Amino acid sequence: MTRTLSMDQPDDRNRLDAMVQGVIGKPLDRLDGPAKVTGSALYAAEYAIDNCAEGVLVTATIAKGEVTAIDEASVLNMPGVIAVISNDRMTARAAQGGAGESPVRKVRQVAYRGQPIALVVAETFEQAREAAKRLQITYREDDDAVIDQHARALPTETSGEPTIQGNLDRAISEAAHAVDVTYTTECHNSAPMEPHASIAQWDGTTLTVHASLQMLKYNVKELADSMGLAPENVRLLSPYVGGGFGSKLGISADVAAASVAAIELGRPVRVVLSRQQVFQSVMRRSETTQRLRLAADSEGRLTGFGHEGRVSNLPGESFAEPVTQASEYLYPGENRTLRIDVARLNLLTAGSVRAPGEAVGMQALEGAMDELAVIIGIDPVELRLRNIPDRHPAKDIPYSSRPLAECLKTGAERFGWDVGPRRPCHTREGEWWIGTGMATATRVHNLNEAEARVTLYPDGTAAVASDMTDIGTGTYTILGQIAAEMLGLDIKDVLVRLGDSSFPPGSGSGGSWGAPSTGSAVFLACEGIRERLAKRLDCTDEELTLKDGFATVRGQSIALPDLLKGDEIEEVGHFKDGAISDSFSSAMYGAFFTEVAVNAYSGEVRVRRFTGAFVCGRVLNEKTAISQCMGGMVWGIGSALTEENIFDKRHGHIVNPDLAEYHIPVSLDVPHLDVVLVDERDPAASPLQAKGVGELGICGAAGAIGNAIHDACGVRLRSFPFTPDKIIAELEAP
Amino acid sequence: MRPFAYSRATDLDHAARLAGDGARPIAGGTNLLDLMKLEVETPDALVDINRLPLGGIETHGDGLRIGALVSNSACAADERIRRDYPVLARAILAGATFQLRNMATTAGNLCQRTRCYYFYNTDMPCNKRAPGSGCSAIGGFNRIHAILGASDACIATYPGDMAVALCALDATVEIAGRDGQARSVPVRAFHRLPGDAPERDNILEPGEVITAVMLPAPPGGKHIYRKVRDRSSYAFALVSIAAVVRMDRGAIASASLAFGALAHKPWHDTRIDDLLTGQAPSDALFDAAADRLLEGATGQGANDFKIPMARRILKAVLREATGDAT
Ligand SMILES: Cc1cc2nc3c(=O)[nH]c(=O)nc-3n(C[C@H](O)[C@H](O)[C@H](O)COP(=O)(O)OP(=O)(O)OC[C@H]3O[C@@H](n4cnc5c(N)ncnc54)[C@H](O)[C@@H]3O)c2cc1C
Ligand code: SF4
């Protein structure tokens, strides 16, 4: 049976808090941890499949134009080479998150350098790789490719409806204090540890693909559409995903290419992207130019708020990095202008990278807020506290919860925040300028439709199944904890199976919605099971206590196997995201506090302390939630100081497409990260009263670091990342 | 990757013979294999020198002889090196990662190739990789490129750290050739400027194999290796300086400075050492040293910052070396 709940209004029942197993929220180790550290967890490319051929993608070496000829003969007589495939079932771009249909397939029409155009298949990987390198391609190159992403004048379109209220220009000119500043961020890459990879098998009817994907229910449709197959004939398996961060929301080029080859050749085909292809052929976070205009009265209360961004994408892509997403609801100001323009470029597809919108939007906004605090001469924490609106400033709806002040206060206290206006260059230790900075964190709370099946077996153990994925975040564990709590079971007695598209469709992992959405589906299925157990005991669900494998009603306990008498109970939970977002503005909040050291000679920056206080509704597993926040803060360090994908302005390729030159933070760049979670119950968030947490830790983190750099040495940089060369350009030598 | 023949050298002559016939020596493989996978390097044959008796660090006169196959980790951990040549240990430890340093060898490290982005991208012209095809870094993204000694053919830098310290120490490379021939070349003269033959990083001739690096008698004084980079570890230098400076009664008794990431070779300019020697430290003196270093320095756009950065870091290093540690 299926139990459905649509999130149209707050769910005040708070059933989880009525449970007594005591496993929800506990900092359990990840259930999949041992399999991962012992190597028994298999990732997409690691399945040993008989007779599997190996495919290597060939990518375009022009930025725009057409492939006029592929000289297959140039490689077909090389040892081991089986085929050269280039047809319009293959995909030329990665699908955007949630697309549910094939991305652009015209592989011979080149829209960006690095676009997949052909697949070379051989008996061994080495043979395929060498032949892929040898394959002779002839192009007709267009001369109107637009590749300089930093050019001032670029053709742009406005994305969506701008928010325009009141008169921002006037508010700025009449304000007691105002800032009008432009921040820029560069392209980022998700750079998941596991590269995108697929092994496709075709049995004449069904296409089965081991792939590394985040949202199987959409991915099945995307692949089916590319292949011209019915979705029922496509099965995807992604039980373990070695990181995705948005780059695996939609199918990447390996999935369709392996599938086309497997169908054409009648044998399994594996395609693994090289690290360079992960960078050059999957997805980037757009560079952004963000103008922030803040007008405040003499007390520092915002009267005007402007956030206007320019981002970019390929022609025809609907995604536009939503840099103003948090600006919609975070701060007040009756005169508002929020808009995003998208420039159309012939550069790699831009798409979702962890916390699309807030990740780079918040770091710019929080830099501007710091500048405003400096101009007004007040404590930057105080400026935030004075600007917490009662209702959503544009939509005039209530907040489901608004715990920003608690986060600011908790974080400041833990960090030992030096209250008062910032006075840059106050502390010098030897060669190092020391300073502190802070920023608000926020990320919208998203929900997505999700189903999960829970089965209670006659022996009193249970199993959870959903096509939901665990991309390394702890999904296996928290879904197990929800079921164990609801059914009164030891966590060891709950088996969680994920990442198989033949299971009920979960929410997928994206937008931080996995836990509240698929978790709610598990919760609903468990409620269904509880109800059926209650019926057997002639009581209501509320009267039933389940704990340690026993059901207790009115003081009488019975072991589940005795109650089940050989029966198995199976329920499907079906959670719908509903209309609640029309009546509440719901978001996760937090605050960052950091101390940095800036080398007076070299401009090198070291983050010395980093505290984050966060609220994300009910915490489902303290350990995995804290780990997510830490991961986000590490991303914040990268975004602030090191990460940028650089495109060659003449040719449009990524200059640094590997982990040696695309600098993610290394251990030495990351200090002890102090994360505190402030527990909360938000009935409008989900029946679990939980929200997402996977992206929150990055949203604003880099802003705090930039603000601390200013406090340390008086240099205000606005073009992320803040590399040593940019700092010394502004910092006088000692 | 192209198919290649593989042989394991049985003795030095065997290695030199194979190398003379075009085989590339492979030591730790941490640089060569990466480049072969990308087809930046396409040797027809490899000669594996790892079983040759080229390990060990031995006393040699007043100095030390570091075998070509001594791993970077072992070299940096050696008690004598840490005590008498700390600039070398520090330079090695400032490079790469534990894992890489465990595999990387003394000779391989010396011969590591540039990290120029376009050298790595086989779709792009590059005179170093494909002589005569052009230099894509000129007019392209050249943040890590040379400000000294570049040519119209190539603006790449030598990226390593260890060799910068070896230049400051005035070490010597011991090279075996065909038919039992041997020669020694100062590290300062081992790497080349690109000129019109950027495909040649150093002076090794076909058939030559590095057998050791010789360190002269311990120089004493203060040893500094300072490396500026984009992140705290696992990144190549933006600017680096190795300095061995001895003070005597308030004046600089001797100074030996070498600079990394500024040129196609570790940069050493005797005139800088001479300018400093015998002088009392002062900011004016340090500025004069920087003027000399940067005389003729030219930025390429994205690397313009290296000019002021080199000046600042030189000042920091000299202040530290001469006593003022602010
Ligand atoms: C991601 C990354 C980061 C790194 N960061 C740094 C850094 O910060 N600083 C730094 O200095 N280095 C860095 N390195 C480079 C590293 O130091 C070199 O890869 C290593 O030192 C090469 O030594 P090897 O023994 O592995 O050489 P191999 O790869 O075996 O050989 C390199 C070259 O030397 C030649 N060769 C080897 N032995 C001999 C010999 N006896 N005679 C003649 N020719 C010989 C080979 O033919 C080849 O051309 C980094 C490397 C990587 C991959
Ligand atoms: S700088 Fe040298 S290595 Fe780089 S592209 Fe030019 S020629 Fe090649």
Side-chain angles (χ1 to χ4, degrees):
Chain A
M1 292 223 293
T2 298
R3 196 179 175 87
T4 304
L5 183 140
S6 178
M7 203 66 196
D8 297 316
Q9 59 219 27
D11 181 350
D12 293 306
R13 298 173 304 144
N14 194 8
R15 290 295 289 145
L16 267 176
D17 273 340
M19 301 294 128
V20 295
Q21 184 63 25
V23 62
I24 200 74
K26 289 279 158 334
L28 299 190
D29 288 343
R30 286 192 287 164
L31 302 181
D32 48 330
K36 284 184 173 166
V37 296
T38 55
S40 60
L42 293 187
Y43 291 89
E46 297 180 330
Y47 290 83
I49 289 171
D50 278 351
N51 199 31
C52 187
E54 308 289 339
V56 169
L57 283 169
V58 179
T59 60
T61 57
I62 60 166
K64 185 164 181 280
E66 194 184 354
V67 173
T68 50
I70 296 179
D71 181 10
E72 301 181 7
S74 61
V75 300
L76 279 179
N77 57 1
M78 288 176 67
V81 175
I82 302 166
V84 175
I85 298 172
S86 172
N87 68 41
D88 282 347
R89 292 267 168 236
M90 291 168 61
T91 52
R93 303 179 185 179
Q96 295 289 351
E101 60 182 25
S102 170
V104 170
R105 290 204 296 272
K106 297 198 173 340
V107 289
R108 285 170 183 244
Q109 299 293 327
V110 178
Y112 64 98
R113 197 170 171 127
Q115 176 186 308
I117 51 182
L119 183 78
V120 175
V121 187
E123 295 295 341
T124 70
F125 167 71
E126 288 76 11
Q127 291 165 335
R129 183 175 56 180
E130 196 201 353
K133 203 94 187 169
R134 288 293 92 69
L135 188 66
Q136 295 296 314
I137 314 258
T138 319
Y139 301 96
R140 182 191 50 68
E141 192 170 354
D142 294 345
D143 54 15
D144 60 347
V146 186
I147 49 183
D148 183 359
Q149 56 188 154
H150 298 105
R152 257 171 195 284
L154 284 173
T156 59
E157 302 156 16
T158 302
S159 160
E161 269 303 301
T163 301
I164 296 171
Q165 279 174 246
N167 186 335
L168 180 60
D169 289 334
R170 204 175 58 214
I172 293 279
S173 64
E174 292 173 358
H177 306 284
V179 295
D180 179 352
V181 288
T182 299
Y183 280 75
T184 58
T185 66
E186 298 300 324
C187 287
H188 294 160
N189 190 282
S190 302
M193 190 115 80
E194 180 201 18
H196 302 65
S198 299
I199 306 176
Q201 291 168 277
W202 171 246
D203 68 5
T205 320
T206 302
L207 177 66
T208 304
V209 188
H210 291 278
S212 187
L213 294 166
Q214 295 179 223
M215 303 212 292
L216 298 190
K217 68 180 176 193
Y218 302 104
N219 304 139
V220 162
K221 291 184 191 155
E222 287 150 11
L223 182 58
D225 187 20
S226 323
M227 293 301 110
L229 293 171
E232 306 80 79
N233 295 335
V234 171
R235 181 168 177 212
L236 291 175
L237 298 162
S238 298
Y240 297 109
V241 179
F245 311 110
S247 71
K248 297 170 180 174
L249 290 175
I251 59 169
S252 42
D254 50 298
V255 190
S259 301
V260 169
I263 291 172
E264 196 156 300
L265 303 175
R267 63 187 276 196
V269 176
R270 173 178 13 235
V271 178
V272 182
L273 299 195
S274 67
R275 181 55 68 187
Q276 286 76 13
Q277 288 172 336
V278 170
F279 275 91
Q280 183 67 71
S281 310
V282 181
M283 198 161 266
R284 65 188 165 103
R285 189 203 297 284
S286 171
E287 75 291 334
T288 71
T289 303
Q290 303 177 52
R291 180 179 185 196
L292 285 138
R293 286 186 284 167
L294 304 174
D297 65 17
S298 54
E299 240 80 274
R301 291 195 176 77
L302 289 168
T303 53
F305 187 103
H307 192 173
E308 293 151 287
R310 188 183 85 177
V311 304
S312 69
N313 211 336
L314 279 165
E317 292 293 325
S318 57
F319 180 86
E321 181 75 26
V323 291
T324 58
Q325 197 154 262
S327 296
E328 301 279 349
Y329 62 83
L330 181 59
Y331 294 130
E334 53 278 16
N335 300 289
R336 301 179 84 74
T337 300
L338 308 177
R339 68 181 278 151
I340 297 167
D341 292 314
V342 201
R344 294 297 171 196
L345 297 176
N346 294 103
L347 295 181
L348 167 69
T349 322
S352 296
V353 176
R354 196 175 188 181
E358 286 91 328
V360 288
M362 281 297 292
Q363 70 192 51
L365 170 58
E366 289 302 294
M369 282 294 278
D370 201 63
E371 296 197 55
L372 182 62
V374 169
I375 289 175
I376 303 174
I378 60 170
D379 185 337
V381 176
E382 181 58 29
L383 177 66
R384 270 81 173 177
L385 288 170
R386 287 185 195 173
N387 283 290
I388 297 182
D390 296 330
R391 292 170 76 79
H392 188 294
K395 294 190 192 157
D396 195 31
I397 53 173
Y399 295 103
S400 69
S401 79
R402 190 64 212 224
L404 175 57
E406 286 90 303
C407 294
L408 289 164
K409 287 173 188 158
T410 307
E413 194 180 304
R414 248 181 114 96
F415 181 80
W417 178 252
D418 188 8
V419 180
R422 303 290 94 185
R423 303 197 194 290
C425 308
H426 48 79
T427 307
R428 178 88 176 260
E429 287 178 13
E431 294 185 1
W432 299 87
W433 290 109
I434 313 299
T436 55
M438 57 79 52
T440 296
T442 188
R443 169 76 174 147
V444 287
H445 170 53
N446 294 304
L447 290 169
N448 192 20
E449 187 170 2
E451 290 181 38
R453 183 173 64 223
V454 179
T455 312
L456 183 62
Y457 296 108
D459 65 356
T461 65
V464 175
S466 168
D467 83 352
M468 179 64 190
T469 51
D470 184 329
I471 59 174
T473 51
T475 308
Y476 277 106
T477 315
I478 57 127
L479 296 183
Q481 283 174 276
I482 293 166
E485 189 67 42
M486 290 295 292
L487 300 177
L489 299 176
D490 189 305
I491 187 77
K492 288 191 210 68
D493 289 330
V494 180
L495 174 71
V496 183
R497 296 171 70 205
L498 302 177
D500 181 337
S501 67
S502 67
F503 295 153
S507 61
S509 300
S512 296
W513 62 40
S517 305
T518 310
S520 291
V522 171
F523 166 87
L524 291 169
C526 291
E527 277 201 305
I529 292 176
R530 289 181 60 91
E531 202 157 274
R532 283 167 66 183
L533 292 174
K535 202 173 261 169
R536 286 178 180 233
L537 288 165
D538 253 342
C539 67
T540 65
D541 182 356
E542 285 71 26
E543 290 167 325
L544 173 69
T545 303
L546 295 177
K547 186 169 188 331
D548 296 332
F550 285 85
T552 305
V553 183
R554 295 180 283 269
Q556 298 274 52
S557 289
I558 177 170
L560 286 178
D562 298 333
L563 179 60
L564 288 163
K565 297 203 182 70
D567 294 340
E568 174 178 302
I569 303 182
E570 184 173 289
E571 289 280 338
V572 171
H574 184 176
F575 176 73
K576 293 183 175 170
D577 39 326
I580 191 137
S581 59
D582 295 341
S583 25
F584 290 95
S585 166
S586 192
M588 294 74 83
Y589 292 92
F592 301 102
F593 294 85
T594 186
E595 177 184 304
V596 306
V598 181
N599 190 281
Y601 287 103
S602 68
E604 289 166 294
V605 177
R606 299 285 179 260
V607 179
R608 305 215 300 190
R609 293 197 289 139
F610 208 173
T611 293
F614 303 105
V615 173
C616 55
R618 175 197 298 282
V619 174
L620 298 168
N621 176 322
E622 198 189 349
K623 187 173 192 174
T624 58
I626 286 177
S627 292
Q628 286 300 300
C629 296
M630 287 181 171
M633 289 162 75
V634 173
W635 275 52
I637 296 173
S639 192
L641 301 178
T642 56
E643 288 184 50
E644 62 181 316
N645 257 150
I646 297 143
F647 285 85
D648 184 287
K649 286 187 179 4
R650 303 158 302 173
H651 306 288
H653 66 276
I654 293 178
V655 171
N656 55 342
D658 58 43
L659 294 171
E661 295 299 333
Y662 180 80
H663 292 146
I664 58 170
V666 296
S667 302
L668 267 179
D669 295 313
V670 182
H672 170 70
L673 299 174
D674 176 39
V675 173
V676 53
L677 300 175
V678 182
D679 209 10
E680 174 197 55
R681 299 285 179 269
D682 185 346
S686 64
L688 310 172
Q689 311 228 351
K691 300 177 193 168
V693 68
E695 298 169 311
L696 179 59
I698 176 174
C699 304
I705 294 170
N707 298 342
I709 291 173
H710 177 258
D711 182 51
C713 65
V715 172
R716 177 71 70 183
L717 294 180
R718 300 191 187 91
S719 67
F720 289 99
F722 301 154
T723 45
D725 49 319
K726 294 180 190 167
I727 291 180
I728 61 161
E730 307 282 329
L731 182 62
E732 214 181 298
Chain B
M1 186 184 243
R2 305 263 183 99
F4 57 89
Y6 168 91
S7 5
R8 178 179 288 152
T10 49
D11 58 36
L12 203 51
D13 273 348
H14 183 212
R17 211 167 50 246
L18 290 170
D21 296 340
R24 282 294 286 282
I26 179 161
T30 59
N31 190 221
L32 185 55
L33 287 179
D34 277 4
L35 293 170
M36 286 171 68
K37 286 184 201 165
L38 295 169
E39 295 200 8
V40 175
E41 297 262 27
T42 52
D44 294 324
L46 290 186
V47 48
D48 183 345
I49 58 171
N50 283 294
R51 301 271 174 106
L52 299 183
L54 299 174
I57 303 178
E58 282 140 34
T59 357
H60 176 80
D62 295 333
L64 290 178
R65 181 177 184 278
I66 306 167
L69 287 173
V70 172
S71 77
N72 286 177
S73 297
C75 188
D78 186 272
E79 198 189 314
R80 293 157 294 178
I81 302 236
R82 286 165 48 126
R83 187 185 57 227
D84 297 333
Y85 309 92
V87 67
L88 177 57
R90 287 174 197 153
I92 291 173
L93 294 177
T97 62
F98 278 109
Q99 297 90 328
L100 285 159
R101 293 193 297 264
N102 287 340
M103 289 303 291
T105 64
T106 307
N109 192 321
L110 273 180
C111 299
Q112 65 175 290
R113 309 213 63 191
T114 185
R115 309 302 289 199
C116 169
Y117 318 108
Y118 301 94
F119 174 70
Y120 270 77
N121 184 339
T122 53
D123 297 328
M124 300 297 296
C126 166
N127 287 325
K128 188 181 274 300
R129 176 172 29 78
S133 60
C135 172
S136 302
I138 296 174
F141 186 72
N142 42 39
R143 183 164 182 268
I144 59 176
H145 288 73
I147 55 167
L148 294 170
S151 72
D152 290 344
C154 178
I155 59 170
T157 52
Y158 172 77
D161 293 297
M162 183 190 82
V164 182
L166 291 176
C167 276
L169 290 167
D170 199 10
T172 308
V173 190
E174 185 189 272
I175 301 166
R178 283 219 246 199
D179 312 318
Q181 286 169 0
R183 61 168 173 151
S184 290
V185 176
V187 175
R188 291 175 181 173
F190 179 76
H191 295 95
R192 295 179 67 253
L193 286 181
D196 53 12
E199 67 278 12
R200 292 193 58 199
D201 294 347
N202 55 49
I203 52 80
L204 282 183
E205 298 288 342
E208 288 193 317
V209 176
I210 297 173
T211 48
V213 167
M214 324 282 240
L215 297 178
K222 196 149 186 173
H223 288 220
I224 295 171
Y225 188 72
R226 175 129 186 184
K227 175 176 178 179
V228 182
R229 45 189 143 173
D230 282 324
R231 61 182 169 191
S232 310
S233 140
Y234 198 33
F236 289 91
L238 295 171
V239 169
S240 76
I241 301 182
V244 178
V245 176
R246 216 158 34 78
M247 297 294 289
D248 188 19
R249 277 163 286 159
I252 299 170
S254 72
S256 181
L257 268 58
F259 303 84
L262 301 184
H264 197 258
K265 55 190 267 188
W267 194 259
H268 174 261
D269 182 344
T270 320
R271 295 176 314 154
I272 300 173
D273 298 348
D274 292 347
L275 182 147
L276 293 166
T277 304
Q279 304 295 315
S282 72
D283 278 356
L285 179 70
F286 302 159
D287 272 327
D291 288 343
R292 184 134 302 170
L293 168 70
L294 296 166
E295 189 180 278
T298 333
Q300 300 284 340
N303 69 348
D304 291 351
F305 74 92
K306 285 189 177 183
I307 298 175
M309 186 175 273
R311 176 177 293 275
R312 295 166 79 113
I313 303 307
L314 178 54
K315 203 172 201 176
V317 165
L318 288 173
R319 279 183 176 168
E320 187 187 341
T322 56
D324 173 3
T326 35

